[in-house]
Amino acid sequence: MLMSKEVAKERIILGIDPGTNILGYGLIKEVKSNMELLTMGVIRLDDLTDHPLKLQRIFERTLAIIDEYHPDCLAIEAPFYGKNVQVMLKLGRAQGVAMAAGLARDLAIIEYSPRKIKQAITGNGNASKEQVAAMLKTLLKFTEKPEFLDATDGLAVAVCHAFQRNDAGNSGKSYSGWAAFAKANEKRIS
């Protein structure tokens, strides 16, 4: 019996923390229950003032990361609900463009709430970015401190997804392609 990439014994997970000024990402390789850090970093967008150009850069750089590391899936942080509608709209666009890049390469897309990610990494859904980064250093045994905590936030999304493998109560939303995403989100795209 063939196993899908998502349930195979080895997989590479790309985690993304979307942002319109700095987008964080992290990649891990999971072999059975062991995780290994492949890379983490940020896509800087703060030098651009035109929002469509920021979205273009997110799409192009996300595709480049996917093409370099060939992840099996893309886990992404869902937008949090804030009071500033314009910020929410821009953040949602950034998330959507990163998701579109994954869908363009036929990756399964899984969304996790910020609270779920923090809970999975630290055991506390209200943990700070610094607490998440410290726990990731322990889990993945790395010492370098990233320039931006957005990088460890992206890495946290990937690790959160790895932890969900045997969790029957997985609250992440998963899409197997553009058609599945569109069907599940008809109100958002019509």
Side-chain angles (χ1 to χ4, degrees):
M1 173 182 249
L2 293 174
M3 298 174 75
S4 74
K5 281 186 172 183
E6 191 61 27
V7 294
K9 289 187 165 90
E10 179 178 310
R11 65 180 174 167
I12 295 174
I13 304 169
L14 168 59
I16 293 182
D17 175 33
T20 55
N21 286 322
I22 299 174
L23 179 143
Y25 66 89
L27 284 119
I28 61 169
K29 181 176 183 180
E30 182 184 34
V31 180
K32 297 184 182 177
S33 62
N34 297 317
M35 286 181 280
E36 172 189 340
L37 172 64
L38 295 178
T39 190
M40 68 176 153
V42 296
I43 299 172
R44 297 210 46 185
L45 307 159
D46 49 355
D47 60 329
L48 300 172
T49 57
D50 185 52
H51 191 64
L53 286 177
K54 289 182 179 196
L55 298 177
Q56 180 182 17
R57 182 176 288 172
I58 291 169
F59 185 81
E60 290 171 347
R61 290 290 315 277
T62 302
L63 276 180
I65 292 165
I66 291 168
D67 290 344
E68 180 177 352
Y69 290 95
H70 306 287
D72 297 294
C73 55
L74 186 155
I76 193 163
E77 184 175 306
F80 56 90
Y81 297 100
K83 294 181 182 179
N84 186 326
V85 176
Q86 288 301 313
V87 169
M88 286 296 303
L89 178 63
K90 288 178 179 179
L91 186 59
R93 288 176 181 161
Q95 182 204 34
V97 168
M99 291 171 76
L103 293 169
R105 294 297 188 257
D106 295 320
L107 294 181
I109 309 292
I110 307 92
E111 276 185 290
Y112 293 100
S113 72
R115 185 174 182 81
K116 172 79 174 175
I117 296 163
K118 292 174 185 178
Q119 178 73 34
I121 304 303
T122 68
N124 176 1
N126 295 315
S128 69
K129 287 178 174 281
E130 292 80 9
Q131 289 171 316
V132 170
M135 183 59 76
L136 288 170
K137 282 182 164 187
T138 301
L139 286 170
L140 297 171
K141 298 172 181 63
F142 66 92
T143 56
E144 61 273 2
K145 182 179 178 197
E147 183 181 355
F148 297 98
L149 288 175
D150 304 86
T152 50
D153 286 350
L155 183 59
V157 182
V159 172
C160 173
H161 183 60
F163 285 162
Q164 305 312 306
R165 176 180 285 234
N166 296 316
D167 181 3
N170 180 357
S171 64
K173 296 179 187 172
S174 178
Y175 308 106
S176 58
W178 177 251
F181 176 79
K183 184 176 181 181
N185 293 281
E186 288 174 348
K187 291 180 182 176
R188 291 172 68 186
I189 60 175
S190 58

